[in-house]
Amino acid sequence: MPNIPVVETILNVNDQLAEKNRAIFDRAGLLALNVMASPGGGKTSVIARIIDTLRDEARIGVMDGDIVALDLEGFAAQGIPVSLINTGGNCHLDANMVHSALPTMDLDALDLLIIENVGNLICPAAFKLGSHLNVVIASVPEGSDKPYKYPAMFRGADVLLLNKMDLAAYMDFDVDYFRYGVEVLNPGVAFFPISCRTGEGLDAWHAWLRARLAEKIQARA
Ligand code: MG
Ligand code: ZN
């Protein structure tokens, strides 16, 4: 099986670079998030809501792994520092892509760096970026079986958001089945059912994030 050692080598190199990124983030004293979801799961909306809530209390920057800067234009218009990590159509971000983008941003001037990964529930789970927290977003229209189909993504989550809860009344989404699948893979993971459209559940999620941010800022002193 000649392929397996090659894959392991690539991942080890990635892990080493992720550690470098982490050290850079820690030196800057910022909290870095790796936001992952399917295409259309709500990554950009979740980020927009974080900015709305926290922009007066934290200096926020956004990096987006994408092929076009479309999702970033709204943030940039609000004066948020943004950077496009051009993936060239790649299906995930890796530590090297993030590392290459770091010089485009003044990290010392940030408290919170939000990295929007490529829309994909499979391979982004395998590539550490050096971020402190994996924010995984599932959404109601995707169905309640996602933890069973994409276990690595759900196992690696530090916080899990279930978005588009406003649609739950119209869809056969089995919350108990979903939660059971998550609990088996990642017992006790922070879990917030939310709707970026209606605002449902956002207070609890933002309070959780605010507490992580406070820990990070306190650690600077
Ligand atoms: Mg997006
Ligand atoms: Zn990929």
Side-chain angles (χ1 to χ4, degrees):
M1 295 193 289
N3 286 336
I4 287 172
V6 175
V7 170
E8 282 182 352
T9 305
I10 292 168
L11 289 177
N12 285 339
V13 169
N14 186 76
D15 281 1
Q16 286 169 20
L17 204 46
E19 277 176 26
K20 256 192 187 171
N21 291 345
R22 171 71 69 94
I24 292 168
F25 296 149
D26 286 340
R27 215 175 304 133
L30 60 79
L31 180 73
L33 309 182
N34 177 8
V35 178
M36 294 176 279
S38 305
K43 294 180 297 301
T44 305
S45 302
V46 162
I47 294 167
R49 289 297 204 153
I50 292 172
I51 291 170
D52 289 346
T53 303
L54 293 178
R55 62 172 307 154
D56 290 336
E57 46 192 293
R59 299 165 298 167
I60 303 171
V62 178
M63 285 185 178
D64 183 14
D66 215 327
I67 43 177
V68 286
L70 196 65
D71 290 346
L72 291 171
E73 285 168 4
F75 302 147
Q78 296 178 66
I80 299 291
V82 298
S83 183
L84 178 70
I85 306 173
N86 199 318
T87 55
N90 204 343
C91 49
H92 60 268
L93 288 178
D94 63 26
N96 185 48
M97 293 178 201
V98 170
H99 193 76
S100 307
L102 293 182
T104 64
M105 227 174 240
D106 181 4
L107 299 177
D108 288 330
L110 296 181
D111 302 308
L112 179 64
L113 175 63
I114 306 173
I115 304 167
E116 178 174 341
N117 213 312
V118 180
N120 178 350
L121 284 178
I122 305 174
C123 41
F127 291 86
K128 289 180 189 162
L129 306 181
S131 53
H132 300 96
L133 296 173
N134 286 338
V135 180
V136 175
I137 308 164
S139 70
V140 165
E142 295 171 60
S144 40
D145 59 351
K146 288 299 159 287
Y148 303 87
K149 286 191 173 167
Y150 306 107
M153 181 57 78
F154 287 85
R155 200 180 287 123
D158 296 301
V159 54
L160 174 63
L161 307 177
L162 178 57
N163 191 22
K164 309 192 187 182
M165 284 302 289
D166 53 305
L167 299 178
Y170 311 101
M171 310 221 167
D172 291 325
F173 190 91
D174 186 339
V175 176
D176 290 339
Y177 182 65
F178 178 84
R179 289 218 65 173
Y180 180 75
V182 171
E183 200 54 34
V184 167
L185 296 165
N186 194 342
V189 66
F191 173 69
F192 299 99
I194 63 167
S195 167
C196 287
R197 200 173 72 85
T198 66
E200 169 186 351
L202 291 178
D203 285 351
W205 147 236
H206 289 159
W208 185 92
L209 180 59
R210 186 182 279 118
R212 304 288 85 72
L213 198 53
E215 288 164 6
K216 196 75 204 167
I217 289 170
Q218 204 144 28
R220 278 182 207 156

